[in-house]
Amino acid sequence: ANPPPPAPARFLAAVRRALRLGGPAAVLLRVLLARAVSRVYARGSHAPEGAGAEYGADFRAAAEAAREVGAMLVLGDRPVEITLEKAWRALGA
């Protein structure tokens, strides 16, 4: 398997995808969401009380399990633009 591209290449690919899927508004929304999330976690906030896990614990557990057996880890997640579009439609907007 090929190693992932360096961080700047992944960032630029994400910006291009956001532009293609949702235009400039999607890029702006993605930046605002990332900033809000980083502020929340910078304050030491974690998963909601009662959730039973810290934010990202599932991904860390998957990475550790993959390392233990020498497997390649593939994290599947759809682009945030698709999730936001579905939410927007569900609100009747």
Side-chain angles (χ1 to χ4, degrees):
N2 294 329
R10 289 192 308 264
F11 172 77
L12 291 175
V15 170
R16 282 193 293 275
R17 185 181 69 227
L19 284 169
R20 187 176 63 251
L21 291 172
V27 174
L28 177 61
L29 185 55
R30 182 172 238 162
V31 168
L32 293 173
L33 286 171
R35 185 176 172 120
V37 168
S38 68
R39 284 184 176 178
V40 167
Y41 289 102
R43 284 189 236 133
S45 301
H46 301 294
E49 191 169 327
E54 186 177 315
Y55 178 79
D58 51 344
F59 289 113
R60 285 190 296 279
E64 179 60 30
R67 273 192 295 274
E68 288 175 5
V69 298
M72 179 186 359
L73 177 64
V74 178
L75 301 175
D77 203 2
R78 67 177 166 209
V80 68
E81 295 85 7
I82 294 171
T83 302
L84 293 173
E85 180 181 330
K86 288 182 176 201
W88 194 251
R89 270 193 254 130
L91 292 172

